[in-house]
Structure formats: structure tokens, C-alpha cells
Amino acid sequence: MTAPLLQLKDIRVSYGRAEVVHGISLEVASGSIVSVIGANGAGKTTLLNATMGVIPSSGTILYRGTPVPHSVEGRVQAGMCLVPERRELFTTMSVEDNLALGGFLRTADERRETLEDVYKRFPRLKERRTQIAGTLSGGERQMLALGRALMSRPKLLLLDEPSLGLAPKIVAEILGIVSELRSTGVSILLVEQNARAALEISDEAYLVELGEVRRSGKAAQMAADPELVESYLGGGH
Amino acid sequence: MDSTILAFLIQDGVTSGAIYALLGLSLVLVFAVTRVIFIPQGEFVAYGALTLAVLDVGRIPGTLPLLMGLGIAAFVFDLASFRQSFRPQHLITSALVNLVLPAIVYGLVVTVLPMQPGPIVRALLAILIIAPMGLYIYRVAFRPLANASVLVLLITSVGVHLAMMGLGLFAFGAEGLRAQPLMRGSFSLGFLPIPAQSLWIYGATIAAMVGLYIFFERTILGKALRATAVNRLGARLVGVRTNLTGGTAFVLASTIGAISGVLIAPITTIYYDTGFLIGLKGFVAAIIGGLSSFPVTAVAAIGVGLVEAFASFFASNFKEIIVFSLLIPVLIWRSLTTDPHEDE
Ligand SMILES: Nc1ncnc2c1ncn2[C@@H]1O[C@H](COP(=O)(O)OP(=O)(O)O)[C@@H](O)[C@H]1O
Ligand SMILES: [Mg+2]
């Protein structure tokens, strides 16, 4: 068996003196979608930011079997890419410039090629290529954030609540795209409050409560777990 | 006041305004990308001007050994950081940038200078000596503080300004120097003679602005600098290193400073400490532009130049006071119109 693409071992994160992630371990196998679900404030965003190196953490992060590079930029270069909760787009720049910058570490030829792929996946971004990113709608911003991440040709995507604040129809569209990405060989660690939608497209899932993993397993089994259905999936269908 | 004097004052004001515009743009650029309020901007102007004046008389300027020294200091800082993470590739890059580059500049100057090159070649040599200094100063003074507050960066900036002024005194002495013009003579525009040097200043300013525009709009590195200014975290998340954008911003700043210095060296006598006052006027323009708008800064700079020219004609003793007083209404207006809770 080959090593998982990403392994987190006993990750702890503190803000000042308050520890909010208390030793989380999880794995993302190559070519899979793994979701982390849990209530608001459980520590999901903190965990994802620590994985990307945006905030410091203790514990071990192995990427392709070896310790991850120290800096955020080093991790991007190694093929990791975070779509953060707040998107962090370049709001005063055009859609196309945002996308181009996503491929900053790539050659000009690779950037041109990948841009075509991203436009094929998100025709709406192509229509709005000259529009200033700050003037996009919520759904379009989310597409741009995803598109910008894809421009780096990542092997591992870390997605923080891609459905946050979006209308149900657009949520389905975005998660559909996420699930398609897996077939292109990208592995995904997905953080979602929208647990039902996340479990539908995931292979594995972890339930996080108050900074600890409460439960984990196959996504399909988790979705059928009566206790989970009760407290996180909003009862029956 | 007759129209000749009026025309002369306008021409004089636009000429200095063009220089202030370059410096103002540079200050905006450095602040937007690194959050450093770049007090030493003027020192690069003085260094450029004095270096050219010394090259004009066929001597080796003190800034040349200074360049070597700064390069070595930057290299030592790199070596120290390699203790944390070492890669042979990084050592080679560091040696090339910090040791080989200044050595090449040194070799070039000592080879070309005895051949008594023309004024344009001397000007290029002066720019070549000063431009890389921005990178080394960033490496030594600012890069270790990448996450510091604006205030800490400002204090560092003042420190660097004082150090560079001291080194300027050491390298050039306390005497004022004036360089030879890039081109002698003048052209006449109707009844108004425009010195050839002023045409150089207009031309170089426009060329520099067009160059910067193309850099920021068309190149991926230029876009990365803009992106860093808009969203620091976003830039890191796409793999843009703070060191790269910071170093680039500082090199642009030192290059712009050196170009400005070379351009004004033939029209004003420059002392080791003149740069500060010149830089401050660029700063007035940059503040009017809110340290963020390039076009407002450029227009404001021309305004500063004009006010200065007229003030020195009508009330020459109060020239500087009048120029800096321009800031007061602008600051009042800004404090009334901006929301203090906006950011940071
Ligand atoms: N920058 C911060 N400083 C202090 N506490 C924070 C900060 N960010 C998040 N927290 C706290 O950490 C906990 C986890 O937050 P977060 O990771 O955002 O949860 P989630 O993404 O699961 O909603 C919360 O209690 C939150 O209040
Ligand atoms: Mg969150």
C-alpha cells in the first residue's frame, strides 16, 4: 500500500493561550475526497489553515510521505493549494489577472494552457474575464477562487466551505465541479458545514467537535449513522 | 510679472515636479507592496547624483566599495538564514546576486572609466552602481522584519535613512557637487528656451512611467506586486513569496532614486544630505495620493513642483514651509473623509 497523499498526526493549534485544535489526526488517500464536517466553531478552518501553513501548529504534517515544506509558498510549490474561507481574491484586479496569478509558479505556456481548461470548466469566468473581481456575485467569486486554485495545477486541494453563503442551486453546481475534479487526479480535503452535501461527494469523512475528531469512516456509512443524522444532518430527508 | 517669467516658473516647476512624481510613485509602490514608509528614498537620489558627479571627474566614487560592502552584508545574512534550511541552489543564487553582481559592476566601472566615456555612459554607470543597493538594504534591514508593524518598519526606515546619510558623508565628504549635463544647449519653444537637460528629465520621467505601467499591467511579476498590495495572504496562497515582491519593490525604488539623482545632478548642487528634502517633496505628493494612487500622486507631484517654483520666486525664504504646508489641508480633508476603522 502506498503512503497517503496527506497525513496529519496529532495536530494542535492555539490562538494565544487558548488551544482550539486538540490533536487531530487524519489522512487523505491519493485520488480521494475527504470531508471534515462539524458545527460552526469546531476548528475546521483552523485545521485547514494549519495544514497550509498559514498559521503555526504542532504535530506532524506529512505530504507524499515526507514532512511538508515550512512556508505556505513552499507548500504551493509542492502541489498543495488552499481555497480559504474568505477567498482572499485580488478584488481590485480583473478575473483574468486573478487566474493568471493562480499560476504564478507555472511557466507562461503552462499558464495559458491551464487558463483554457479553467475557462472550459467555468464558462461564466470566461464571459467575465475583464470584470474586476470585487464586483462579482458570491457564486462567481467562489468559482474564481476555485479557478485560481486550479491554475496552480494542485495535487491536493484544501477547500474551506466552498458552499458558504451560496444559493442551493449554486451549491450543487460547485460541489458537482469539486466531485468532477477528483477524476482529473486531484485529491481534495473538503471542509463543510453543509454536511449532507459534503458526504454525498466524499469517500471518507471526519466529524470534528470542539477541536477533536469525534467520529470517522466511509462517507456513505457516516451519512447513514443515526446519531449523526440526528445532530448534523438535520433529521430525516 | 511678465509672461516670460511666468513661463520660466512653470517650466521650472514642471521640471522638479517630474522628479517628485518619480519619487512619489516609488514611495507609493514600496508602501503598497511592503508597508514600509520609505524615508531613505531621497538618499538614493543623492547617491545617484553624487556618484555621477564623481564619475564626471574620472574618479572612482565611494559608493562603489559601498555597493560591495552591502552585497557582502546581504550574503552574510543569507548564510545565517541557511542554518535553518539549506539548499545548495540557494547558496549559488545568493552568491551570484550578492557577490558576483557587485563585482561585475566594480569591474565594469574600473574598466570603462579610464576610457573617458561620454556623459550618457557615465550616467548609466552611476545608475548601475546605485540600483542593486535597494536589494541589499531590503535583505539586511527590512526582510527580517517582514511581519512587523508599520510603526516598527517606519522606525527602521528612519534608521536606514540616517545610516545612508552617514555613509554618504563618508563616501563623498561634506562638499556639494554638481554633475555635467547629459546634453548641453537648449531648445526654444516659442520665446521660452528649454534647456536640453529639462527635456531629458521629461523624457526619462515619461519613459519610467510607461515602463512601470507595462511592468504592472503586462508581466506576471508586476501583477504579483499588485496582488501583494491588494491581498497579502492571497498572494502567498498562490505562491508569491514576500521576499521576491519586497526585493523587487526595493530595487525599483533604488533604480528610480538613482535615475532621479542622475537627472537633477546637472541642475542643482547636491550635498550628502540633500536627498532627504527632495524625497520629502515626493512624499508630499505620495501622501496626497493617499500612499495608494499612482495617478493622483503624479499629478500632485507636478503641483508640488509648481508651488515650489512660484514660492521660491515670490517668497523664497518660505519656500519649503509653503510646500510642506500643502499637506495640512490634505491631511485634514483625509481625516474627515476616511473611516479610521477601515483596515488594520
Ligand atoms: N484568529 C482567531 N483568534 C482567536 N480565536 C480564534 C481565531 N479564529 C478562530 N478562533 C476560535 O477558534 C475556534 C475554531 O474556529 P474555526 O476554526 O474558525 O471553526 P470552524 O471553521 O469550524 O467554524 C472558535 O472557537 C473560534 O472562535
Ligand atoms: Mg470555518
Side-chain angles (χ1 to χ4, degrees):
Chain A
M1 215 184 108
T2 56
L5 185 63
L6 177 76
Q7 267 175 297
L8 305 183
K9 291 183 185 166
D10 195 28
I11 299 299
R12 290 171 187 276
V13 188
S14 305
Y15 293 112
R17 288 167 66 189
E19 189 179 90
V20 299
V21 169
H22 313 289
I24 288 187
S25 301
L26 65 75
E27 289 186 357
V28 179
S30 212
S32 69
I33 299 184
V34 175
S35 60
V36 174
I37 58 179
N40 211 347
K44 306 183 296 296
T45 294
T46 304
L47 180 70
L48 225 46
N49 285 343
T51 306
M52 196 61 203
V54 174
I55 52 175
S57 61
S58 72
T60 312
I61 305 176
L62 298 181
Y63 175 71
R64 308 169 97 182
T66 56
V68 275
H70 183 72
S71 65
V72 175
E73 299 89 337
R75 292 179 201 194
V76 176
Q77 198 144 26
M80 295 169 67
C81 195
L82 169 69
V83 177
E85 194 168 32
R86 298 169 47 144
R87 312 305 173 226
E88 313 293 354
L89 296 173
F90 308 120
T91 46
T92 60
M93 301 173 76
S94 71
V95 166
E96 188 144 309
D97 280 350
N98 271 270
L99 291 173
L101 282 160
F104 180 73
L105 295 175
R106 296 291 167 182
T107 65
D109 283 340
E110 287 174 325
R111 256 200 308 276
R112 213 169 303 125
E113 256 175 49
T114 322
L115 187 64
E116 284 312 307
D117 292 347
V118 169
Y119 278 153
K120 245 178 242 148
R121 207 174 283 284
F122 301 103
R124 210 157 342 152
L125 292 181
K126 187 169 189 177
E127 284 164 25
R128 302 186 176 273
R129 63 208 290 174
T130 59
Q131 192 172 328
I132 299 300
T135 63
L136 295 176
S137 73
E140 289 161 352
R141 279 178 198 227
Q142 183 49 27
M143 286 177 194
L144 181 56
L146 258 176
R148 187 179 75 176
L150 292 178
M151 287 295 297
S152 71
R153 298 193 175 182
K155 295 186 182 63
L156 174 65
L157 262 182
L158 309 173
L159 302 180
D160 199 345
E161 308 234 18
S163 74
L164 191 71
L166 300 184
K169 189 171 148 258
I170 303 180
V171 171
E173 188 181 342
I174 297 268
L175 290 180
I177 290 167
V178 170
S179 111
E180 272 171 38
L181 285 176
R182 173 179 32 191
S183 57
T184 66
V186 184
S187 311
I188 294 162
L189 180 59
L190 172 69
V191 158
E192 264 294 348
Q193 259 192 78
N194 192 337
R196 182 180 304 286
L199 291 178
E200 256 165 42
I201 62 166
S202 302
D203 301 295
E204 308 277 331
Y206 292 80
L207 169 67
V208 174
E209 267 178 19
L210 298 173
E212 286 177 60
V213 174
R214 273 278 168 274
R215 208 172 281 246
S216 64
K218 294 268 170 240
Q221 284 165 15
M222 299 269 282
D225 186 314
E227 192 187 329
L228 256 156
V229 171
E230 179 80 14
S231 46
Y232 287 95
L233 303 177
H237 290 268
Chain B
M1 184 173 65
D2 62 25
S3 57
T4 315
I5 295 176
L6 179 70
F8 173 77
L9 289 179
I10 291 176
Q11 187 261 317
D12 192 35
V14 172
T15 304
S16 2
I19 298 290
Y20 301 152
L22 281 178
L23 299 177
L25 295 186
S26 177
L27 288 163
V28 169
L29 161 71
V30 169
F31 181 74
V33 175
T34 65
R35 296 173 305 129
V36 172
I37 295 174
F38 199 46
I39 313 288
Q41 179 69 60
E43 267 63 58
F44 289 104
V45 180
Y47 277 22
L50 294 166
T51 301
L52 177 61
V54 172
L55 288 173
D56 276 352
V57 296
R59 285 193 290 125
I60 299 288
T63 34
L64 195 53
L66 178 61
L67 176 70
M68 305 281 284
L70 288 171
I72 291 170
F75 183 68
V76 170
F77 268 67
D78 275 354
L79 282 186
S81 71
F82 288 154
R83 285 190 313 189
Q84 285 152 27
S85 69
F86 176 76
R87 279 207 248 139
Q89 182 59 45
H90 292 172
L91 180 64
I92 295 170
T93 313
S94 172
L96 283 178
V97 170
N98 300 317
L99 303 177
V100 176
L101 175 65
I104 290 175
V105 173
Y106 198 103
L108 199 64
V109 173
V110 297
T111 325
V112 173
L113 200 57
M115 300 193 231
Q116 300 188 329
I120 294 171
V121 174
R122 292 196 299 266
L124 291 176
L125 286 179
I127 294 168
L128 212 54
I129 294 171
I130 306 305
M133 288 184 180
L135 185 63
Y136 307 144
I137 285 170
Y138 173 71
R139 177 64 189 95
V140 171
F142 293 99
R143 202 176 115 181
L145 299 173
N147 298 318
S149 69
V150 172
L151 182 62
V152 169
L153 292 172
L154 174 61
I155 293 167
T156 309
S157 202
V158 172
V160 170
H161 153 68
L162 293 173
M164 282 187 72
M165 212 161 64
L167 289 168
L169 176 62
F170 185 69
F172 298 105
E175 309 269 298
L177 298 176
R178 192 183 273 235
Q180 294 163 27
L182 293 174
M183 197 183 281
R184 293 186 187 282
S186 61
F187 301 84
S188 63
L189 189 76
F191 55 87
L192 178 72
I194 296 184
Q197 185 68 26
S198 292
L199 288 185
W200 269 96
I201 292 180
Y202 305 149
T205 302
I206 292 168
M209 287 182 185
V210 170
L212 283 175
Y213 178 82
I214 292 172
F215 174 69
F216 284 119
E217 291 293 327
R218 296 273 176 272
T219 71
I220 190 75
L221 182 59
K223 287 175 187 176
L225 260 72
R226 281 166 62 205
T228 306
V230 177
N231 190 324
R232 208 159 282 278
L233 175 58
R236 293 179 66 206
L237 287 174
V238 297
V240 175
R241 283 178 196 276
T242 317
N243 297 344
L244 176 69
T245 50
T248 308
F250 271 70
V251 168
L252 286 172
S254 56
T255 308
I256 289 173
I259 291 173
S260 311
V262 161
L263 290 172
I264 58 162
I267 57 174
T268 6
T269 304
I270 303 285
Y271 300 80
Y272 73 97
D273 62 353
T274 312
F276 182 57
L277 217 51
I278 299 175
L280 268 187
K281 289 176 191 145
F283 202 67
V284 171
I287 299 271
I288 295 174
L291 277 177
S292 62
S293 164
F294 285 113
V296 176
T297 300
V299 173
I302 304 289
V304 170
L306 287 172
V307 168
E308 185 189 32
F310 281 87
S312 57
F313 182 78
F314 290 109
S316 102
N317 288 340
F318 299 106
K319 171 180 114 173
E320 313 293 2
I321 296 178
I322 293 173
V323 169
F324 293 120
S325 305
L326 283 178
L327 269 184
I328 295 172
V330 173
L331 290 178
I332 292 175
W333 176 71
R334 283 208 167 272
S335 69
L336 293 177
T337 53
T338 48
D339 175 4
H341 305 293
E342 217 164 60
D343 47 25
E344 289 197 69

